[in-house]
Amino acid sequence: MKQNLGKFLLLLILLIPLYAEDFTYHIQVNRSTPYLKEPILLSVDLNQTNPNTVLLFQFAVNPSKDYKVKQINARIDNTLHHASHHYLYELNPLTTGDVNITFSLTKRVTTDEKIHYFASGDRDDFKKLDTKDYPVHIRPLTLHVRPLPKGVKFIGNFTLDYQIKTHTSEAYKPIPLKITIKGRGYPPVIRDILPKNTHFTHFSDTPSVRKVPTEKGTIITATYTAALSAARSFTLPAIRLKAFDPEKHREYFLEMPAQHFKINAVDKTSLVDKTDNPEPLHTDFSWFTSLLGYIVVFFAGYMTALSLKWKRRVTGEKQDPLIEKIERCKDAKTLLQLLMSTDSIQFETAIEKLEKGLYSEEKINLKQIKQEVLERMK
């Protein structure tokens, strides 16, 4: 009897801090034993339970070298006396073993009068919301991260598609090639997707990665573009990339079969010019006149190219509609919506700053963020 009473008192003591608070929180992941780099979903719910006060929440997942985290959705309801926040993150563990996910949460308490006073300000008369802030300790969430099978290049559920414009070309003429890898998982980016070969030359561009966040995770499209050229016919070896699907615990391969290209050699005799042009010089000083002409033509051509390059640059800047839209944004919310609609990786840092300012009420410098965005577009 005394033993049972002791267990009841211990349980009561553990529950007191939860019910003594003015809100409840719930944090969960869809998988607690993920594989290395496997994307997992982390959901956070904060709900006010005490209607006799006005609460605001300031929440964040702390950054760490042991994992990569990105917010993909947020539903924030700051209705007075009934605040409710829901956050959804995508997280990739970057090391094996036990990984602790840590959080920071601040409960901000205020009153109806202070809210009304804060809301009465305008852009020219900024008023700071008066709150009493209380840090809330949240126990770290531990993941048990498993290693990947040996030789795996891609982690997730992906498909590979390819496009080749032609399999017949002239010697040394570039042949365009595009390979697309699409699906859910860790961004499928490797330095060089084509096999090395001495029978042809290839030029590769930096892979472009497009990310579309959804409630089930981020859909990723990685596009590799390249150009092949050779002096004679050749065969591009098959591509076979090892991948691993962590949800089904299976290995599979992303493949492109070998491709043969027929190259038409150039007739060397057609490259020889049999005409004696210009004719041999007969005047001692004619070479000097020709030299002056070449110099004048070269200088004129150089200045023309330089002016056209400057003109294209100025025209290009004027023709970019996104720059004008960014400059017209008058508030953080409008700028955030515009940047998110572009779905460009180069704006991720600016988007995160704007989200923290809007959702966590951190102070942001809109002018500075706009300047950073415009500099990235140059």
Side-chain angles (χ1 to χ4, degrees):
M1 179 67 181
K2 290 182 179 180
Q3 186 177 4
N4 291 336
L5 180 60
K7 291 182 178 179
F8 174 76
L9 290 176
L10 178 60
L11 179 61
L12 183 61
I13 291 173
L14 292 175
L15 291 177
I16 284 176
L18 177 62
Y19 287 102
E21 291 286 355
D22 299 319
F23 67 97
T24 60
Y25 68 84
H26 184 63
I27 300 175
Q28 67 176 6
V29 290
N30 65 335
R31 188 171 287 105
S32 60
T33 57
Y35 286 92
L36 181 69
K37 295 184 179 180
E38 175 187 355
I40 61 174
L41 296 178
L42 169 69
S43 62
V44 180
D45 289 283
L46 307 171
N47 294 290
Q48 181 175 350
T49 56
N50 179 11
N52 298 320
T53 186
V54 177
L55 293 185
L56 298 171
F57 302 113
Q58 189 171 324
F59 177 84
V61 180
N62 296 329
S64 171
K65 61 180 178 60
D66 294 331
Y67 54 81
K68 177 183 178 182
V69 62
K70 178 176 177 59
Q71 181 178 311
I72 59 177
N73 195 10
R75 294 193 298 271
I76 298 177
D77 183 1
N78 282 327
T79 302
L80 298 185
H81 307 282
H82 300 282
S84 175
H85 289 201
H86 171 76
Y87 302 98
L88 184 63
Y89 299 88
E90 188 171 68
L91 188 145
N92 304 92
L94 302 179
T95 184
T96 57
D98 289 344
V99 174
N100 290 325
I101 314 300
T102 60
F103 313 93
S104 66
L105 173 62
T106 301
K107 179 182 73 172
R108 308 181 66 192
V109 183
T110 186
T111 63
D112 293 82
E113 291 77 12
K114 292 177 181 179
I115 289 288
H116 293 153
Y117 176 76
F118 170 76
S120 64
D122 53 33
R123 294 179 181 175
D124 299 325
D125 182 22
F126 179 77
K127 299 175 182 179
K128 183 179 179 181
L129 179 60
D130 185 16
T131 62
K132 290 184 179 180
D133 297 346
Y134 303 94
V136 179
H137 173 71
I138 299 180
R139 179 183 299 178
L141 181 65
T142 301
L143 302 177
H144 307 285
V145 184
R146 292 177 284 182
L148 291 167
K150 188 176 180 180
V152 168
K153 296 286 187 182
F154 301 107
I155 303 96
N157 185 8
F158 293 104
T159 59
L160 184 148
D161 188 23
Y162 61 93
Q163 296 178 3
I164 301 174
K165 188 174 182 180
T166 180
H167 286 77
T168 304
S169 183
E170 305 297 327
Y172 302 109
K173 185 177 180 180
I175 302 173
L177 167 66
K178 182 170 74 171
I179 298 175
T180 303
I181 298 178
K182 183 177 181 180
R184 288 190 176 91
Y186 194 77
V189 177
I190 57 177
R191 180 173 296 180
D192 199 344
I193 199 169
L194 295 180
K196 294 182 179 180
N197 197 295
T198 58
H199 299 297
F200 63 90
T201 302
H202 79 270
F203 306 91
S204 300
D205 198 0
T206 302
S208 65
V209 181
R210 184 172 180 265
K211 301 179 181 179
V212 180
T214 70
E215 290 285 342
K216 295 183 179 180
T218 303
I219 299 176
I220 301 173
T221 303
T223 303
Y224 297 81
T225 55
L228 312 176
S229 67
R232 58 184 62 87
S233 299
F234 67 96
T235 298
L236 175 66
I239 295 176
R240 197 166 189 259
L241 305 168
K242 190 175 183 179
F244 181 75
D245 186 345
E247 293 186 0
K248 297 181 179 179
H249 310 282
R250 69 177 183 91
E251 300 177 22
Y252 64 101
F253 290 91
L254 299 173
E255 299 179 285
M256 182 184 81
Q259 305 291 321
H260 181 73
F261 296 90
K262 181 181 179 182
I263 304 300
N264 298 319
V266 177
D267 184 4
K268 295 182 179 180
T269 59
S270 64
L271 301 177
V272 180
D273 189 354
K274 299 178 180 180
T275 304
D276 191 4
N277 187 25
E279 297 179 355
L281 298 176
H282 299 287
T283 305
D284 293 339
F285 296 100
S286 61
W287 64 270
F288 184 71
T289 304
S290 300
L291 177 61
L292 286 178
Y294 292 145
I295 293 175
V296 171
V297 171
F298 173 80
F299 184 75
Y302 177 79
M303 294 302 296
T304 301
L306 188 63
S307 63
L308 289 174
K309 180 180 180 181
W310 178 83
K311 183 177 180 181
R312 283 197 300 269
R313 180 181 176 185
V314 173
T315 305
E317 292 176 352
K318 291 182 178 179
Q319 291 177 346
D320 193 338
L322 182 57
I323 294 178
E324 185 177 353
K325 291 180 181 179
I326 292 174
E327 292 175 342
R328 288 204 306 263
C329 290
K330 302 299 182 182
D331 54 67
K333 184 176 182 180
T334 304
L335 181 59
L336 176 61
Q337 293 174 343
L338 175 61
L339 296 182
M340 291 183 69
S341 67
T342 63
D343 192 29
S344 177
I345 302 176
Q346 63 179 333
F347 299 142
E348 284 188 354
T349 302
I351 290 173
E352 290 179 0
K353 290 181 180 179
L354 292 169
E355 287 178 338
K356 289 181 179 179
L358 291 172
Y359 301 143
S360 303
E361 297 189 4
E362 293 184 6
K363 187 175 180 181
I364 59 175
N365 189 327
L366 181 61
K367 183 178 180 181
Q368 181 179 353
I369 294 177
K370 290 170 65 175
Q371 184 63 30
E372 292 175 358
V373 171
L374 293 175
E375 288 179 355
R376 283 183 173 273
M377 296 179 63
K378 292 180 179 179

